[in-house]
Each structure stands twice: as structure tokens, then as C-alpha cells.
Amino acid sequence: MNISIIGLDMIGGALGLALGTLDDTALASGRPTITGWDRNSRAVRDARDRLQIDRAARDVAEAVHDADVVFVTGTPDEVGAVFRDIAPELSHGTIVSDVSSVKGQTLALAQSSLPTTIDFIGGHPLVHRSGNLRDASIDFFRGAIYCLTPSPTARPTAIDTLAALVEAIGAKPYYIDAAEHDAYIANTQHLPLVLSAALMESVTRSGGWREMQALAGEPFRLATQLTTLDPAASSAVCANNSAALGGRIDELIQLLIELRDNLHNREQLEAIFVQARDAHQQWQAAQPNMRPGEAAFYGDTEDPTVNRGLGALFFGQRKRPNQGKK
């Protein structure tokens, strides 16, 4: 199997390393050959030197020429530009996927830019994304939930192939509708970005910031830590998920107003803090990296096939391997 990775950032490098170091028996087709390309030629050289790719392509056309599977990294805007570049070069039956945190827009871009002869399956590995190519490791995806949002025309065999690759690198496929994915991610990933930036802006705009810096301790540092991420990437994902994120911000504003109005009422205020603490403890105790129903079926085990049967819920009557099995 020939796999191409377009965009050799930390995610792309980790994908190349994890896939390229698989045992020959991990996939039915044997160990895949990994080709990499990036607009930054230094990133390509670094990836080759670090054995994250087997072959460095000279341009994007060469990178996807004989590819069976193409992974595209970057923000939805960057992914869309790559889709347009690779569209004329893709062979019939090529599987194309992305790794961005907004799935509705990338699905629309794929449908408008890519030929109908390929299979697009959106992807989003729930992994820590800060860092660079040098931080990529073989076990980067192990145990992580890996969201898959196939296009309506993606063939079941193509979905099976991508799911097998996800499982081979130790991640857990989770089939989810693109709109539902974006709504959930607006809450759990993009809203925290906005809150962190808003808190930092609010405090630093105040007249006393210069004097209060010495008093800004661990709580403030933790609450504003997300502002250290790449501002361009943070703004891109928030803008690309603006519909879902905007609604969540409106709801949060109402909650902040409720908190403000209860500041004088210690009993009511404490009740809000208790409820938040209990919800956080329950979330942590429930093992956040478990997919819905996984713990019930498998307890503490990590069986990557548990979610395969959910594919039929979103993608018609397609049969999935191990569907309905426990």
C-alpha cells in the first residue's frame, strides 16, 4: 500500500512514523510505503532524516501520483487548497482523508474540489497538537479516539481500509456525523480557545495589568495556557466552526450573567461551583478516551473494533466488520 502525507507538521510526522514502522503483519497488505511532501522543503528533509517518511516527493503531484491513501494535514483552509491542487492527480479509487478539527467544512470542500472517483473520509484524531515535527513519536496515537466522517459516497471497502489503518497505529475509530462532531468539538476544543483568549485580553486591557502581573499565579496561568498555541491555527479553526461556536458563546454569556447576578448569594454561588466540580469529577472518572458504550462492553480494555457497528447508524445499511458483536 502506498500512503502519501501532505503536510509534515507534528500530526503528519507522527502519522508517517506510526504507519511506516508497522510490523509486516499489522495490515493485510503488509507494511505501507510512506511518501511525504510539504510546502516547506526543510520539513520534508527533517521528516526523511527522522525516518517519518520513506520517500520525499518533489512536488504535490508526485506525492499523490501512485497513492492508495492520502492524508492531508492543516487547517480546513489549508486542506481545501491542497484538495484543489491534488484533484487532477488522483487515481481512481484513491482514499483521501484529513485530520482537521472541523469536519463539516472539509466535507463540503472535498465534495466541491475532489473528483467523484475517489473516496473521501474525514478524520480527526483527538491528540495533543502543540509541538513540531521533532515531537512526533511512534505511540503518538495509541489509545486516542480517532473520529471518522465518511462522505455519503465513500465505499464501505474504503471505510474499512482507513479504519484498519487507524487501528494499526493504536487509535480507536469513532464514526460520527460531521455536524454532530463540529457541535461537540465547539464545546470541548474551540470554546476553551476563545475563553482563554478572552480572559487574557480582558485582564491585560485593564489599567492595572502592569502592577497585577506579580499577583497572576497558577490559576491564571492555567486558565490562559491555550493562548500559547499558534494564533493563526486557533483563529482558523474557530472561524471555520463559527456556526456551532457562536451558539455556544451565546449560551456561555447567559451563564456568566447568571453567575454575576448570584455573586451576592453565597449559597447559590457555592451550588454552582459544587455542580461544576462534581461534573468534572464524573467526567474524569468515566475515562474520557472511551467512546460511548465502550466501557459497558469492554470495561477497561481497549478494543478498537467496538465502534465499527456504529457506522451503519450514520452511513445507511453498510455492513461493518464485527457489527453487533461484543
Side-chain angles (χ1 to χ4, degrees):
M1 179 186 296
N2 294 319
I3 297 177
S4 293
I5 299 174
I6 310 300
L8 295 170
D9 54 10
M10 185 174 67
I11 299 293
L15 266 175
L17 192 59
L19 290 167
T21 56
L22 290 175
D23 185 88
D24 289 341
T25 61
L27 297 169
S29 57
R31 179 191 175 280
T33 299
I34 312 298
T35 298
W37 181 82
D38 193 285
R39 298 184 191 279
N40 184 340
S41 59
R42 181 175 179 179
V44 179
R45 290 195 302 270
D46 286 348
R48 185 69 181 89
D49 291 343
R50 295 176 181 280
L51 305 181
Q52 294 166 345
I53 58 176
D54 298 308
R55 188 171 68 92
R58 291 170 296 183
D59 53 44
V60 71
E62 180 185 337
V64 303
H65 178 64
D66 294 320
D68 299 301
V69 180
V70 177
F71 288 98
V72 182
T73 73
T75 66
D77 291 336
E78 294 167 338
V79 169
V82 171
F83 284 171
R84 291 187 289 272
D85 290 341
I86 67 175
E89 313 298 335
L90 295 171
S91 302
H92 179 89
T94 302
I95 299 169
V96 179
S97 187
D98 74 308
V99 295
S100 71
S101 65
V102 181
K103 301 273 55 88
Q105 182 172 349
T106 53
L107 180 59
L109 289 168
Q111 291 175 323
S112 64
S113 303
L114 297 176
T116 58
T117 56
I118 66 95
D119 295 290
F120 177 75
I121 304 167
H124 178 204
L126 302 184
V127 292
H128 183 61
R129 290 172 175 256
S130 66
N132 55 45
L133 191 65
R134 298 182 180 183
D135 298 318
S137 69
I138 294 175
D139 296 325
F140 188 73
F141 300 96
R142 188 161 301 280
I145 290 176
Y146 198 119
C147 296
L148 294 177
T149 58
S151 66
T153 58
R155 294 168 300 159
T157 53
I159 299 173
D160 289 342
T161 296
L162 192 59
L165 292 175
V166 169
E167 292 169 5
I169 62 176
K172 301 186 285 190
Y174 179 37
Y175 297 93
I176 185 169
D177 173 76
E180 187 175 28
H181 168 279
D182 290 353
Y184 294 167
I185 292 301
N187 280 274
T188 59
Q189 290 195 14
H190 301 157
L191 186 61
L193 289 174
V194 171
L195 285 174
S196 186
L199 176 59
M200 195 73 212
E201 278 290 292
S202 174
V203 173
T204 56
R205 284 181 184 180
S206 67
W209 170 240
R210 183 175 179 180
E211 291 74 23
M212 77 174 73
Q213 289 184 57
L215 305 182
E218 190 69 0
F220 186 76
R221 186 191 70 80
L222 291 174
T224 57
Q225 182 67 28
L226 292 178
T227 61
T228 63
L229 298 179
D230 179 15
S234 296
S235 60
V237 295
C238 289
N240 288 318
N241 200 20
S242 60
L245 182 57
R248 287 302 299 123
I249 291 175
D250 288 341
E251 294 175 14
L252 180 63
I253 289 172
Q254 294 303 313
L255 179 58
L256 288 173
I257 292 173
E258 179 183 340
L259 282 166
R260 182 202 63 193
D261 293 344
N262 281 287
L263 287 176
H264 66 285
N265 187 333
R266 181 176 297 183
E267 182 177 340
Q268 182 63 28
L269 190 61
E270 182 179 354
I272 295 174
F273 279 110
V274 167
Q275 183 176 344
R277 180 204 63 191
D278 292 348
H280 187 273
Q281 290 177 345
Q282 291 171 10
W283 165 56
Q284 289 294 294
Q287 298 176 290
N289 67 330
M290 289 289 187
R291 295 158 294 181
E294 184 172 4
F297 283 120
Y298 291 99
D300 293 332
T301 64
E302 292 188 356
D303 187 322
T305 65
V306 66
N307 184 246
R308 280 181 160 184
L310 295 180
L313 296 178
F314 298 108
F315 314 118
Q317 300 301 312
R318 295 168 175 165
K319 299 296 183 181
R320 310 286 306 141
N322 299 328
Q323 184 170 343
K325 294 183 180 180
K326 297 184 180 180

Coordinates of all heavy atoms in Angstrom, one line a residue, residues 114-201:
L114 N -12.8 17.6 -5.0 CA -12.2 16.3 -5.4 C -13.0 15.6 -6.4 O -14.3 15.7 -6.4 CB -12.0 15.4 -4.1 CG -11.1 16.0 -3.0 CD1 -11.0 15.1 -1.8 CD2 -9.6 16.2 -3.6
P115 N -12.4 14.8 -7.2 CA -13.2 14.0 -8.2 C -14.1 13.0 -7.6 O -13.9 12.5 -6.5 CB -12.1 13.3 -9.1 CG -10.9 13.3 -8.2 CD -11.0 14.5 -7.3
T116 N -15.2 12.7 -8.2 CA -16.2 11.7 -7.7 C -15.6 10.3 -7.7 O -16.3 9.4 -7.2 CB -17.5 11.8 -8.5 OG1 -17.2 11.5 -9.9 CG2 -18.1 13.2 -8.4
T117 N -14.5 10.1 -8.4 CA -14.0 8.7 -8.5 C -13.1 8.3 -7.3 O -12.6 7.2 -7.2 CB -13.1 8.6 -9.7 OG1 -12.1 9.6 -9.7 CG2 -13.9 8.8 -11.0
I118 N -13.0 9.3 -6.3 CA -12.2 8.9 -5.1 C -13.1 8.8 -3.9 O -14.3 9.2 -4.0 CB -11.1 10.0 -4.8 CG1 -11.7 11.4 -4.5 CG2 -10.2 10.2 -6.0 CD1 -11.9 11.6 -3.0
D119 N -12.6 8.3 -2.8 CA -13.4 8.1 -1.6 C -12.8 9.1 -0.5 O -11.7 8.9 -0.1 CB -13.3 6.7 -1.1 CG -13.9 5.7 -2.0 OD1 -15.1 5.7 -2.1 OD2 -13.2 4.9 -2.6
F120 N -13.7 10.0 -0.1 CA -13.2 10.9 0.9 C -13.8 10.5 2.3 O -15.0 10.2 2.4 CB -13.7 12.4 0.7 CG -13.3 13.3 1.8 CD1 -11.9 13.7 1.9 CD2 -14.2 13.8 2.7 CE1 -11.6 14.5 3.0 CE2 -13.8 14.6 3.8 CZ -12.5 15.0 3.9
I121 N -12.9 10.4 3.3 CA -13.3 10.0 4.6 C -12.6 11.0 5.6 O -11.4 10.9 5.8 CB -12.9 8.6 5.0 CG1 -13.5 7.6 3.9 CG2 -13.4 8.2 6.4 CD1 -12.9 6.2 4.0
G122 N -13.4 11.9 6.1 CA -12.8 12.9 7.0 C -12.3 12.2 8.3 O -12.9 11.3 8.8
G123 N -11.2 12.8 8.8 CA -10.7 12.2 10.1 C -10.3 13.3 11.1 O -9.9 14.4 10.7
H124 N -10.3 13.0 12.3 CA -9.9 13.9 13.4 C -9.4 13.1 14.6 O -10.2 12.7 15.4 CB -11.0 14.8 13.8 CG -10.7 15.8 14.9 ND1 -11.6 16.3 15.8 CD2 -9.5 16.3 15.3 CE1 -11.0 17.1 16.7 NE2 -9.7 17.1 16.4
P125 N -8.1 12.9 14.7 CA -7.5 12.3 15.8 C -7.5 13.2 17.0 O -7.0 14.3 16.9 CB -6.1 11.9 15.4 CG -5.7 12.9 14.4 CD -7.0 13.3 13.7
L126 N -8.0 12.7 18.2 CA -8.1 13.6 19.4 C -6.8 13.5 20.1 O -6.7 12.7 21.1 CB -9.3 13.2 20.2 CG -10.7 13.3 19.5 CD1 -11.8 13.0 20.5 CD2 -10.9 14.7 18.9
V127 N -5.8 14.2 19.7 CA -4.5 14.1 20.3 C -4.0 15.5 20.5 O -4.6 16.5 20.0 CB -3.5 13.4 19.3 CG1 -3.8 12.0 19.2 CG2 -3.5 14.1 17.9
H128 N -3.0 15.6 21.4 CA -2.4 16.9 21.7 C -1.6 17.5 20.5 O -0.7 16.8 20.0 CB -1.5 16.8 22.9 CG -0.9 18.1 23.4 ND1 -1.6 19.1 23.9 CD2 0.4 18.5 23.5 CE1 -0.9 20.1 24.2 NE2 0.4 19.8 24.0
R129 N -1.9 18.7 20.0 CA -1.4 19.1 18.8 C -0.3 20.1 18.9 O 0.3 20.5 17.9 CB -2.6 19.7 17.9 CG -3.5 18.7 17.4 CD -4.7 19.3 16.8 NE -5.6 18.2 16.2 CZ -5.7 18.0 14.9 NH1 -5.0 18.6 14.1 NH2 -6.4 17.0 14.5
S130 N 0.0 20.6 20.1 CA 1.1 21.6 20.2 C 2.4 20.9 20.1 O 2.6 19.9 20.6 CB 1.0 22.4 21.5 OG 1.2 21.5 22.6
G131 N 3.3 21.5 19.4 CA 4.7 21.0 19.2 C 5.1 21.0 17.7 O 4.4 21.7 16.9
N132 N 6.2 20.4 17.4 CA 6.6 20.4 16.0 C 7.0 19.0 15.5 O 6.7 18.1 16.2 CB 7.8 21.4 15.8 CG 8.9 21.0 16.8 OD1 9.3 19.9 16.9 ND2 9.5 22.0 17.4
L133 N 7.5 18.9 14.3 CA 7.8 17.7 13.7 C 8.7 16.8 14.6 O 8.6 15.6 14.7 CB 8.5 17.9 12.4 CG 8.7 16.7 11.4 CD1 7.4 16.2 11.0 CD2 9.6 17.1 10.3
R134 N 9.6 17.4 15.4 CA 10.5 16.7 16.2 C 9.8 16.0 17.4 O 10.4 15.1 18.0 CB 11.6 17.6 16.7 CG 12.5 18.2 15.5 CD 13.6 19.1 16.0 NE 14.4 19.6 14.9 CZ 15.4 20.3 15.0 NH1 15.9 20.7 16.3 NH2 16.1 20.8 14.0
D135 N 8.6 16.5 17.7 CA 7.9 15.9 18.8 C 7.1 14.6 18.5 O 6.5 14.0 19.3 CB 7.0 16.9 19.5 CG 7.7 18.1 20.0 OD1 8.8 17.9 20.6 OD2 7.2 19.3 19.8
A136 N 7.1 14.3 17.2 CA 6.3 13.1 16.7 C 6.9 11.9 17.3 O 8.1 11.7 17.3 CB 6.3 13.1 15.2
S137 N 6.1 10.9 17.7 CA 6.5 9.6 18.2 C 5.7 8.5 17.6 O 4.6 8.7 17.1 CB 6.4 9.6 19.7 OG 5.1 9.6 20.2
I138 N 6.3 7.3 17.7 CA 5.6 6.1 17.2 C 4.2 5.9 17.9 O 3.3 5.5 17.3 CB 6.5 4.9 17.4 CG1 7.7 5.0 16.5 CG2 5.7 3.6 17.0 CD1 8.7 3.9 16.6
D139 N 4.2 6.1 19.2 CA 3.0 5.9 20.0 C 2.1 7.1 20.1 O 1.2 7.1 21.0 CB 3.4 5.4 21.4 CG 4.2 4.1 21.4 OD1 3.8 3.2 20.5 OD2 5.1 3.9 22.2
F140 N 2.2 8.1 19.3 CA 1.5 9.3 19.4 C 0.0 9.1 19.4 O -0.7 9.8 20.2 CB 1.9 10.2 18.3 CG 1.4 11.6 18.4 CD1 1.9 12.5 19.3 CD2 0.4 12.1 17.6 CE1 1.4 13.8 19.4 CE2 -0.1 13.4 17.6 CZ 0.4 14.2 18.6
F141 N -0.5 8.2 18.6 CA -2.0 8.0 18.5 C -2.5 6.9 19.4 O -3.7 6.6 19.4 CB -2.3 7.7 17.0 CG -1.9 8.8 16.1 CD1 -0.7 8.7 15.4 CD2 -2.7 9.9 15.9 CE1 -0.3 9.7 14.5 CE2 -2.4 10.9 15.0 CZ -1.2 10.8 14.3
R142 N -1.6 6.2 20.1 CA -2.1 5.0 20.8 C -3.1 5.3 21.9 O -2.9 6.2 22.8 CB -0.9 4.3 21.5 CG -1.2 2.9 22.1 CD 0.0 2.1 22.3 NE 0.7 1.9 21.0 CZ 0.3 0.9 20.1 NH1 -0.7 0.2 20.4 NH2 1.0 0.8 19.0
G143 N -4.3 4.7 21.8 CA -5.3 4.9 22.8 C -6.2 6.1 22.5 O -7.2 6.3 23.2
A144 N -5.9 6.9 21.5 CA -6.7 8.1 21.2 C -7.9 7.7 20.4 O -7.9 6.8 19.5 CB -5.8 9.1 20.4
I145 N -9.0 8.5 20.6 CA -10.2 8.4 19.8 C -9.9 9.1 18.5 O -9.3 10.1 18.4 CB -11.4 9.0 20.4 CG1 -11.8 8.2 21.6 CG2 -12.5 9.2 19.4 CD1 -13.0 8.8 22.4
Y146 N -10.2 8.4 17.4 CA -10.0 8.9 16.0 C -11.3 9.0 15.3 O -11.8 8.0 14.8 CB -9.0 8.0 15.3 CG -8.3 8.6 14.1 CD1 -6.9 8.7 14.1 CD2 -9.0 9.1 13.0 CE1 -6.2 9.2 13.0 CE2 -8.3 9.6 11.9 CZ -6.9 9.7 11.9 OH -6.3 10.2 10.8
C147 N -11.8 10.3 15.2 CA -13.2 10.5 14.6 C -13.1 10.2 13.1 O -12.1 10.7 12.4 CB -13.7 11.9 14.9 SG -14.0 12.2 16.6
L148 N -14.1 9.6 12.5 CA -14.1 9.3 11.1 C -15.5 9.8 10.6 O -16.5 9.4 11.2 CB -14.0 7.8 10.8 CG -12.6 7.2 11.1 CD1 -12.6 5.8 10.7 CD2 -11.5 8.0 10.3
T149 N -15.5 10.6 9.6 CA -16.7 11.2 9.0 C -16.7 10.9 7.5 O -16.4 11.8 6.7 CB -16.9 12.7 9.3 OG1 -15.7 13.4 8.8 CG2 -17.0 12.9 10.8
P150 N -17.1 9.7 7.0 CA -17.1 9.4 5.6 C -18.1 10.3 4.8 O -19.2 10.6 5.3 CB -17.5 8.0 5.5 CG -17.2 7.4 6.9 CD -17.5 8.6 7.8
S151 N -17.7 10.6 3.6 CA -18.7 11.3 2.7 C -19.8 10.3 2.4 O -19.6 9.0 2.5 CB -18.0 11.7 1.4 OG -17.5 10.6 0.7
P152 N -20.9 10.8 1.9 CA -22.1 9.9 1.6 C -21.7 8.9 0.5 O -22.4 7.8 0.4 CB -23.2 10.8 1.2 CG -22.8 12.1 1.8 CD -21.3 12.2 1.8
T153 N -20.8 9.2 -0.3 CA -20.4 8.3 -1.5 C -19.2 7.4 -1.2 O -18.8 6.6 -2.1 CB -20.2 9.1 -2.7 OG1 -19.1 10.0 -2.5 CG2 -21.4 9.9 -3.1
A154 N -18.6 7.5 0.0 CA -17.5 6.7 0.3 C -17.9 5.2 0.3 O -18.9 4.8 0.9 CB -16.9 7.1 1.6
R155 N -17.1 4.4 -0.4 CA -17.4 2.9 -0.4 C -17.1 2.3 0.9 O -16.1 2.6 1.6 CB -16.6 2.3 -1.5 CG -16.9 2.7 -2.9 CD -15.9 2.2 -3.9 NE -14.5 2.7 -3.5 CZ -13.4 2.2 -3.9 NH1 -13.4 1.1 -4.7 NH2 -12.2 2.7 -3.6
P156 N -17.9 1.3 1.3 CA -17.6 0.5 2.5 C -16.2 0.0 2.6 O -15.6 -0.1 3.7 CB -18.7 -0.6 2.5 CG -19.8 0.0 1.7 CD -19.1 0.8 0.6
T157 N -15.7 -0.5 1.4 CA -14.3 -1.1 1.4 C -13.3 0.0 1.8 O -12.3 -0.3 2.4 CB -14.0 -1.7 0.1 OG1 -14.3 -0.8 -1.0 CG2 -14.8 -2.9 -0.1
A158 N -13.5 1.2 1.3 CA -12.6 2.3 1.6 C -12.7 2.7 3.1 O -11.6 2.9 3.7 CB -13.0 3.5 0.8
I159 N -13.9 2.7 3.7 CA -14.0 3.0 5.1 C -13.3 1.9 5.9 O -12.6 2.2 6.9 CB -15.5 3.0 5.5 CG1 -16.2 4.2 4.7 CG2 -15.7 3.3 7.0 CD1 -17.7 4.2 4.9
D160 N -13.4 0.6 5.5 CA -12.8 -0.4 6.2 C -11.2 -0.3 6.1 O -10.5 -0.5 7.1 CB -13.1 -1.8 5.5 CG -14.6 -2.2 5.8 OD1 -15.1 -1.7 6.8 OD2 -15.1 -3.1 5.1
T161 N -10.7 0.1 5.0 CA -9.3 0.3 4.8 C -8.8 1.4 5.7 O -7.8 1.2 6.4 CB -9.0 0.7 3.3 OG1 -9.3 -0.4 2.5 CG2 -7.5 1.0 3.2
L162 N -9.5 2.6 5.8 CA -9.0 3.6 6.6 C -9.1 3.3 8.1 O -8.3 3.6 8.9 CB -9.8 4.9 6.4 CG -9.2 6.2 7.0 CD1 -7.7 6.4 6.5 CD2 -10.0 7.4 6.7
A163 N -10.2 2.6 8.5 CA -10.4 2.1 9.9 C -9.3 1.2 10.2 O -8.8 1.2 11.4 CB -11.7 1.4 10.0
A164 N -8.9 0.3 9.3 CA -7.8 -0.6 9.6 C -6.5 0.1 9.9 O -5.7 -0.3 10.7 CB -7.6 -1.6 8.4
L165 N -6.2 1.2 9.1 CA -5.0 2.0 9.3 C -5.1 2.7 10.7 O -4.1 2.7 11.4 CB -4.9 3.0 8.2 CG -4.6 2.5 6.8 CD1 -4.6 3.7 5.8 CD2 -3.2 1.8 6.8
V166 N -6.2 3.2 11.1 CA -6.4 3.9 12.4 C -6.1 2.9 13.5 O -5.4 3.2 14.5 CB -7.8 4.5 12.5 CG1 -8.1 4.9 13.9 CG2 -8.0 5.6 11.5
E167 N -6.7 1.7 13.4 CA -6.5 0.6 14.4 C -5.0 0.2 14.4 O -4.5 -0.1 15.5 CB -7.4 -0.6 14.1 CG -8.9 -0.2 14.3 CD -9.8 -1.4 13.7 OE1 -9.2 -2.4 13.3 OE2 -11.0 -1.2 13.7
A168 N -4.4 0.1 13.3 CA -3.0 -0.3 13.2 C -2.1 0.6 14.0 O -1.0 0.1 14.5 CB -2.5 -0.5 11.8
I169 N -2.4 1.9 14.0 CA -1.5 2.8 14.8 C -1.9 3.0 16.2 O -1.4 3.8 17.0 CB -1.4 4.2 14.1 CG1 -2.8 4.9 14.1 CG2 -0.9 4.1 12.7 CD1 -2.8 6.3 13.5
G170 N -2.9 2.1 16.7 CA -3.3 2.1 18.0 C -4.4 3.0 18.4 O -4.7 3.1 19.6
A171 N -5.0 3.7 17.5 CA -6.1 4.6 17.8 C -7.4 3.8 17.7 O -7.5 2.7 17.2 CB -6.1 5.8 16.8
K172 N -8.5 4.5 18.1 CA -9.8 3.9 18.1 C -10.8 4.6 17.2 O -11.2 5.7 17.5 CB -10.3 3.9 19.6 CG -9.4 3.1 20.5 CD -9.9 3.0 21.9 CE -9.9 4.3 22.7 NZ -10.2 4.1 24.1
P173 N -11.2 4.0 16.1 CA -12.1 4.7 15.2 C -13.5 5.0 15.9 O -14.0 4.1 16.6 CB -12.3 3.6 14.1 CG -11.2 2.7 14.2 CD -10.8 2.7 15.7
Y174 N -13.9 6.2 15.6 CA -15.2 6.6 16.1 C -16.0 7.3 15.0 O -15.7 8.4 14.6 CB -15.0 7.6 17.3 CG -16.3 8.1 17.9 CD1 -17.4 7.3 18.1 CD2 -16.4 9.4 18.4 CE1 -18.6 7.7 18.7 CE2 -17.5 9.9 19.0 CZ -18.6 9.0 19.1 OH -19.8 9.5 19.7
Y175 N -17.0 6.6 14.5 CA -17.9 7.1 13.4 C -18.9 8.1 14.0 O -19.6 7.9 14.9 CB -18.6 6.0 12.7 CG -17.7 5.0 12.1 CD1 -17.2 3.9 12.7 CD2 -17.1 5.2 10.8 CE1 -16.3 3.0 12.2 CE2 -16.3 4.4 10.2 CZ -15.9 3.2 10.9 OH -15.0 2.4 10.3
I176 N -18.9 9.3 13.3 CA -19.7 10.4 13.8 C -20.1 11.3 12.7 O -19.3 11.5 11.7 CB -19.0 11.2 14.9 CG1 -19.9 12.2 15.5 CG2 -17.7 11.8 14.4 CD1 -19.4 12.9 16.8
D177 N -21.3 11.8 12.7 CA -21.8 12.7 11.7 C -21.0 14.0 11.8 O -20.7 14.5 12.9 CB -23.3 13.0 12.0 CG -23.9 14.0 11.1 OD1 -24.1 13.8 9.9 OD2 -24.1 15.2 11.6
A178 N -20.8 14.6 10.7 CA -19.9 15.8 10.6 C -20.5 17.0 11.4 O -19.8 17.6 12.2 CB -19.7 16.3 9.2
A179 N -21.8 17.2 11.3 CA -22.4 18.3 12.1 C -22.4 18.1 13.6 O -22.1 19.0 14.4 CB -23.9 18.5 11.6
E180 N -22.6 16.8 14.0 CA -22.6 16.5 15.4 C -21.2 16.6 15.9 O -20.9 17.1 17.0 CB -23.1 15.0 15.6 CG -23.2 14.6 17.0 CD -23.9 13.2 17.2 OE1 -23.7 12.4 16.2 OE2 -24.5 13.0 18.2
H181 N -20.2 16.2 15.1 CA -18.8 16.3 15.5 C -18.5 17.8 15.8 O -17.9 18.1 16.8 CB -17.9 15.7 14.4 CG -16.5 16.1 14.6 ND1 -15.9 17.3 14.2 CD2 -15.4 15.4 15.1 CE1 -14.7 17.4 14.4 NE2 -14.3 16.2 15.0
D182 N -18.8 18.6 14.8 CA -18.5 20.0 15.0 C -19.2 20.7 16.2 O -18.6 21.6 16.8 CB -18.8 20.8 13.7 CG -17.9 20.4 12.5 OD1 -16.9 19.7 12.8 OD2 -18.2 20.8 11.4
A183 N -20.4 20.3 16.5 CA -21.1 20.8 17.6 C -20.4 20.4 18.9 O -20.2 21.2 19.8 CB -22.5 20.3 17.7
Y184 N -20.0 19.1 19.0 CA -19.2 18.6 20.2 C -17.9 19.3 20.3 O -17.5 19.7 21.4 CB -19.1 17.1 20.1 CG -20.3 16.3 20.2 CD1 -20.4 15.0 19.8 CD2 -21.5 16.9 20.6 CE1 -21.5 14.2 19.9 CE2 -22.7 16.2 20.6 CZ -22.7 14.8 20.3 OH -23.9 14.1 20.3
I185 N -17.2 19.4 19.2 CA -15.8 20.0 19.3 C -15.9 21.5 19.6 O -15.0 22.0 20.2 CB -15.1 19.7 17.9 CG1 -14.8 18.2 17.8 CG2 -13.8 20.5 17.9 CD1 -14.0 17.6 18.9
A186 N -17.0 22.2 19.2 CA -17.1 23.6 19.5 C -17.1 23.7 21.0 O -16.6 24.7 21.6 CB -18.4 24.1 18.9
N187 N -17.8 22.8 21.7 CA -17.8 22.8 23.2 C -16.5 22.5 23.8 O -16.1 23.2 24.8 CB -18.9 21.8 23.7 CG -20.3 22.4 23.6 OD1 -20.8 23.1 24.5 ND2 -21.0 22.0 22.5
T188 N -15.9 21.4 23.4 CA -14.8 20.8 24.1 C -13.4 21.3 23.7 O -12.4 21.2 24.4 CB -14.8 19.3 24.0 OG1 -14.8 18.9 22.6 CG2 -16.1 18.8 24.6
Q189 N -13.3 21.9 22.5 CA -12.0 22.3 22.0 C -11.9 23.8 21.6 O -11.0 24.5 21.9 CB -11.5 21.4 20.8 CG -11.2 20.0 21.2 CD -10.4 19.3 20.1 OE1 -9.9 19.9 19.1 NE2 -10.3 18.0 20.2
H190 N -12.9 24.2 20.8 CA -12.9 25.6 20.3 C -13.3 26.6 21.3 O -12.8 27.7 21.4 CB -13.7 25.7 19.0 CG -13.2 24.7 18.0 ND1 -14.0 24.3 16.9 CD2 -12.0 24.1 17.8 CE1 -13.2 23.5 16.2 NE2 -12.0 23.4 16.7
L191 N -14.3 26.3 22.1 CA -14.8 27.3 23.2 C -13.7 27.5 24.2 O -13.4 28.7 24.6 CB -16.0 26.7 23.9 CG -16.7 27.7 24.9 CD1 -17.1 29.0 24.2 CD2 -17.9 27.0 25.6
P192 N -12.9 26.5 24.6 CA -11.8 26.8 25.5 C -10.7 27.7 24.9 O -10.2 28.5 25.7 CB -11.2 25.4 25.8 CG -12.4 24.5 25.7 CD -13.2 25.0 24.5
L193 N -10.5 27.6 23.6 CA -9.6 28.5 23.0 C -10.1 30.0 23.1 O -9.3 30.9 23.4 CB -9.4 28.2 21.5 CG -8.7 26.9 21.1 CD1 -8.8 26.7 19.6 CD2 -7.2 27.0 21.5
V194 N -11.4 30.2 22.9 CA -12.0 31.5 22.9 C -11.9 32.0 24.4 O -11.6 33.2 24.6 CB -13.4 31.5 22.4 CG1 -14.1 32.8 22.7 CG2 -13.4 31.2 20.9
L195 N -12.3 31.2 25.3 CA -12.3 31.6 26.7 C -10.9 32.0 27.2 O -10.7 33.0 27.9 CB -12.8 30.5 27.6 CG -14.3 30.2 27.5 CD1 -14.7 29.0 28.3 CD2 -15.1 31.4 28.1
S196 N -9.9 31.2 26.8 CA -8.5 31.5 27.2 C -8.1 32.9 26.7 O -7.5 33.7 27.4 CB -7.6 30.4 26.7 OG -6.3 30.6 27.2
A197 N -8.4 33.1 25.4 CA -8.0 34.4 24.8 C -8.8 35.5 25.4 O -8.2 36.6 25.7 CB -8.2 34.3 23.3
A198 N -10.1 35.3 25.7 CA -10.9 36.4 26.2 C -10.5 36.8 27.6 O -10.4 38.0 27.9 CB -12.4 35.9 26.2
L199 N -10.1 35.8 28.4 CA -9.7 36.1 29.8 C -8.4 36.9 29.7 O -8.2 37.9 30.4 CB -9.5 34.8 30.6 CG -8.9 35.0 32.0 CD1 -9.8 35.8 32.8 CD2 -8.7 33.6 32.6
M200 N -7.4 36.5 28.9 CA -6.2 37.2 28.8 C -6.4 38.6 28.3 O -5.8 39.6 28.8 CB -5.2 36.4 27.8 CG -3.8 36.8 27.9 SD -3.0 36.2 29.4 CE -1.8 37.5 29.7
E201 N -7.2 38.8 27.3 CA -7.5 40.1 26.8 C -8.2 41.0 27.8 O -7.8 42.2 28.0 CB -8.4 40.0 25.5 CG -7.6 39.7 24.2 CD -6.8 40.8 23.8 OE1 -7.3 41.9 23.4 OE2 -5.5 40.7 23.9

